[in-house]
Amino acid sequence: MKNFLLLAVAFIGFAANAQVDKIYKHSGEVVNGKVVKLEEYTIVFKYDGEDAENTVSKYAVEKIVYGKTGRVEEVTEKIVVNGEADWEKVVILEDKAYIAGLKKGDEVRGKTGLINYHTGNTGDKKAEKKLKMAAAAMGCPFILQTADKATVGASSNSLGGSQVIKKGIGYKY
């Protein structure tokens, strides 16, 4: 009887643990809890044994393994940035919710020169490229954009050109 009781307690403990969802982050961390809902850019979950809801960016998560069914849901592929040459892989994020679970890096800037002959659109693209190149050089696959400023004509410089300045903060896994 004693062995039967011990076996029953072990089975109940195993069954309870199997109900826990596992969130695998690109950083290697595994979060045990319950996925509450998936939103467009974020995942809302509760840690195992807690009631408070937490949010993590989908960009930080590789996959979710659901405890009840064992179903695996691939969330995002890891973006690997090895240097400035990988600048095209860098993703610009415009909402703070999208960085939850990522590690903050340094500030990055991208701007066009004071004297240039770019139209507004090409100046914007050139500043964005410089911003992404600065983040890639730091090994950051993400940028939270904090400023996007363009000046045109006499307010820009004495030659009447235009200048675009973009600022952001780099983020890693």
Side-chain angles (χ1 to χ4, degrees), residues 83-97:
E84 196 174 294
D86 290 335
W87 70 270
E88 291 179 282
K89 296 179 182 177
V90 175
V91 178
I92 296 178
L93 308 172
E94 296 179 359
D95 190 322
K96 285 186 177 186

Side-chain angles (χ1 to χ4, degrees), residues 15-156:
N17 191 36
Q19 302 296 317
V20 174
D21 299 331
K22 293 187 180 288
I23 301 170
Y24 291 85
K25 295 171 76 176
H26 290 296
S27 65
E29 179 186 354
V30 179
V31 177
N32 293 321
K34 176 71 178 148
V35 174
V36 177
K37 63 183 168 183
L38 297 174
E39 296 178 339
E40 188 174 357
Y41 293 101
T42 58
I43 299 167
V44 178
F45 69 97
K46 294 180 183 181
Y47 282 104
D48 191 24
E50 295 183 10
D51 292 330
E53 290 187 353
N54 298 277
T55 303
V56 65
S57 169
K58 283 188 173 181
Y59 292 111
V61 176
E62 175 190 354
K63 66 182 176 182
I64 301 168
V65 178
Y66 293 98
K68 280 186 179 180
T69 63
R71 181 173 67 90
V72 177
E73 182 170 352
E74 301 293 330
V75 180
T76 60
E77 287 188 31
K78 186 173 187 174
I79 300 171
V80 179
V81 176
N82 293 317
E84 196 174 294
D86 290 335
W87 70 270
E88 291 179 282
K89 296 179 182 177
V90 175
V91 178
I92 296 178
L93 308 172
E94 296 179 359
D95 190 322
K96 285 186 177 186
Y98 305 164
I99 60 166
L102 298 172
K103 292 180 184 159
K104 185 177 182 180
D106 292 329
E107 183 176 274
V108 290
R109 289 182 56 174
K111 67 177 187 171
T112 58
L114 282 171
I115 301 173
N116 65 65
Y117 303 102
H118 296 287
T119 63
N121 193 30
T122 58
D124 191 59
K125 286 183 180 185
K126 186 173 182 180
E128 184 176 299
K129 178 180 177 182
K130 287 184 176 183
L131 184 71
K132 287 182 172 187
M133 289 175 80
M138 295 186 320
C140 294
F142 304 102
I143 301 168
L144 175 63
Q145 190 165 322
T146 57
D148 188 359
K149 179 181 168 187
T151 56
V152 181
S155 63
S156 175

